[in-house]
Amino acid sequence: MTGIDLLRDALRNRGTAFTLEERERLGLAGLLPPRVEAIGEQVARVLAALHGQPSPMAKFSYLSTLRDENETLFFRTLIDNLEELVPIVYTPTIGQACLDWSRIYQRPRGLYITPRERGRIAAVLRAWPQREVKIIVVTDGGRILGLGDLGANGMGIPIGKLALYVACAGVDPAACLPVTLDVGTDNASVREDPLYLGRREARLAGPAYDELIEEFVVAAREVFPAVLVQFEDFANANAFRLLAAYRTLVCSFNDDIQGTGAMGLAGLYAAERITGAPLSDQRLLFFGAGEAGIGMAELVAVAMAREGLSEGEARRRCWLFDSKGLIVSRRADLPEHKRRFAQDHAPIGDLLSAVEAGRPTVLVGASGQAGAFTAPVLAAMARLNERPVIFALSNPTSKAECTAEDAYRATGGRAILATGSPFAPVSRDGRTHFTGQANNSFIFPGLGLGILASGASRVTDEMFFAAARALADQVGPEDLAAGRIFPPTSRMRDVAAAVATVVARTAYAEDFATRTQPPDIAAHVRAIMYRAEYG
Ligand code: NAI
């Protein structure tokens, strides 16, 4: 490829970094400003332009354009500035980008598959320009962050998640495929938006929906044989079913259920180092009993049982609360994933009463209900515990169950707080509190890299337990001293490498690996990580 075509190919373009010799050889003479820059200088210029943008959404658009022009430079900038830029390409800005998707759309990225493609999904996948796809992140837009059904506007999520696979875990951008299954939307305001780019139909449901998913999964495996499929932001009713249907059949996982579970467990292991109380002593109250809440509760219950509790005792320590109140055995309509946590207790309809009754040491918000952790709820947690552990997992920031300010104020600064989206440090009473970001982005990139490194054919529960331990081990004494039970975002690459190493090790131990075991798995993982350099 030469000339202007080369400059328009985002994967090959180097812009002003093409040397004078390359410019002659590749027909670029006159097409670039004369100065030849090193990639570091290009990054400095990108940052200068970025800092001139007036809002996070303007920064998002600027970076999207950069990515369309020069992927290496986009990822180099991201990798070198994770702390600053992950909140732009991922939560919270990605939430607004999804809400605005049909209005800010400029260039295609990823695949949109609709019921019209039934019977020829494999052909659609074959038309994708990259042949070496290793990871697919797929959504049907059914539950985008805590924002609900956004239909095809949900495409921002697979794109954002895969950007983290590249930036944090060093997966080659050419190996990543974002997919939206546009099966319609039941969100009337989205459907009736004159600029909406998706199908203006009610959501497909029942057998027709299942058949579309089945054809997609089969086609993905056929066209990209060893591909890892990550199910992302499917609505609750489909997420659990699809996980159960595919987890043992193909190399797949549900990030909202399993990734969140491992991340949450890691946070509890790290918090244990502050409170001094083992996991098996904790009592947890989950506000929100959906994918995130149940995913975390399931993993925590098994982890408690491994510390010696009976399964029944472990589940009695995990209370769940949904939109109808505390999950208790006398409730008739409970699906199996909730029934497993039903308590023999009288019904309770409000969170504060549930806190008073259950006396939890850990309160987890996974409800998408902004402000649900009111001052009285947080104060009750502080009365019951010297160091109450509070997770406000809901994303984006506008959906968080409490802000960092709320939590530290109501608990007199004693909360051990972690939030799904980042919060700025809070200063009060002469102390600065740093809030750890409790986000599954500390798990899925490393998990995927570990699967690729080992050629694992399945994603197993043991991999999530190992990933949780590895993530907790990445939390240093300096993080705990600052009040953080997760590492800072700036260390996401180290975290991903550590998670990948234990995931690959588990794949070999469980005999799911298909690649020859390297003598040093950690070194191998580091060696295969993409670094965003001009090759
Ligand atoms: P979901 O739809 O599966 O579950 C939501 C749960 O909240 C349901 O059990 C529902 O009954 C409950 N709920 C809704 N309104 C309620 C109310 N007023 N009172 C009590 N309970 C109520 O959703 P999912 O996947 O569990 O996600 C929930 C939130 O967690 C979202 O905001 C999502 O962005 C966030 N999340 C954060 C992650 C992270 O890494 N920090 C990972 C996954 C999800």
Side-chain angles (χ1 to χ4, degrees), residues 84-404:
E84 178 183 348
L85 299 185
V86 167
I88 304 295
V89 300
Y90 187 60
T91 187
T93 310
I94 197 71
Q96 191 60 46
C98 287
L99 290 169
D100 296 348
W101 197 254
S102 291
R103 287 158 190 278
I104 61 173
Y105 179 85
Q106 283 180 303
R107 287 188 59 176
R109 180 170 291 283
L111 284 179
Y112 294 85
I113 293 174
T114 76
R116 279 226 314 274
E117 278 68 61
R118 272 290 274 127
R120 56 185 174 111
I121 295 178
V124 172
L125 292 174
R126 269 194 205 96
W128 181 249
Q130 307 302 330
R131 300 301 344 127
E132 294 291 313
V133 171
K134 305 262 175 46
I135 301 184
I136 290 176
V137 176
V138 57
T139 188
D140 73 350
R143 195 281 286 131
I144 294 298
L145 303 169
L147 303 168
D149 176 359
L150 297 187
N153 287 346
M155 182 53 124
I157 295 295
I159 291 174
K161 293 264 170 183
L162 283 163
L164 295 204
Y165 266 112
V166 179
C168 303
V171 173
D172 186 337
C176 299
L177 173 56
V179 175
T180 287
L181 301 174
D182 181 0
V183 294
T185 172
D186 292 339
N187 183 333
S189 68
V190 168
R191 221 163 51 200
E192 286 156 19
D193 177 349
L195 294 183
Y196 178 54
L197 288 167
R199 280 165 60 89
R200 293 164 190 276
E201 287 173 16
R203 269 188 178 273
L204 198 66
Y209 176 88
D210 289 354
E211 284 160 23
L212 186 79
I213 301 279
E214 174 75 8
E215 185 186 337
F216 167 71
V217 173
V218 170
R221 301 284 301 175
E222 181 190 316
V223 178
F224 308 114
V227 75
L228 165 65
V229 177
Q230 171 172 332
F231 291 98
E232 188 68 48
D233 284 8
F234 282 70
N236 184 311
N238 291 322
F240 287 100
R241 284 186 321 110
L242 297 180
L243 177 61
Y246 291 110
R247 62 184 303 175
T248 55
L249 284 184
V250 296
C251 187
S252 65
F253 71 104
N254 181 298
D255 184 39
D256 303 293
I257 301 172
Q258 297 167 290
T260 309
M263 173 279 292
L265 180 58
L268 294 177
Y269 285 141
E272 193 176 306
R273 286 156 59 196
I274 299 177
T275 62
L279 181 67
S280 52
D281 278 2
Q282 308 301 328
R283 288 183 304 279
L284 294 96
L285 174 57
F286 293 85
F287 183 73
E291 298 165 56
I294 296 274
M296 182 170 164
E298 278 293 347
L299 224 57
V300 167
V302 175
M304 283 178 163
R306 289 183 178 188
E307 290 185 8
L309 299 186
S310 69
E311 193 191 331
E313 175 60 18
R315 288 181 188 278
R316 278 193 290 282
R317 286 179 169 271
C318 296
W319 284 25
L320 285 108
F321 193 105
D322 66 9
S323 56
K324 295 180 184 144
L326 188 65
I327 295 188
V328 292
S329 34
R330 76 173 72 162
R331 273 175 55 176
D333 57 339
L334 294 174
E336 177 54 24
H337 56 263
K338 289 186 182 176
R339 179 150 299 285
R340 291 156 64 79
F341 289 97
Q343 307 295 327
D344 289 326
H345 197 284
I348 299 180
D350 71 282
L351 179 59
L352 181 56
S353 303
V355 169
E356 298 291 0
R359 306 174 63 81
T361 56
V362 180
L363 179 62
V364 180
S367 63
Q369 299 299 306
F373 293 173
T374 58
V377 165
L378 294 165
M381 285 298 292
R383 180 165 42 74
L384 294 165
N385 301 284
E386 179 54 34
R387 298 299 308 271
V389 179
I390 314 281
F391 286 79
L393 296 183
S394 291
N395 293 321
T397 319
S398 61
K399 301 290 178 186
E401 284 79 8
C402 64
T403 66

Side-chain angles (χ1 to χ4, degrees), residues 449 453 497-498 500-501 504-505 518-529 531:
L449 178 62
T501 301
R505 197 170 285 146
D520 181 342
I521 295 177
H524 173 68
V525 158
R526 288 271 183 191
I528 63 172
M529 285 172 82
R531 288 181 170 69

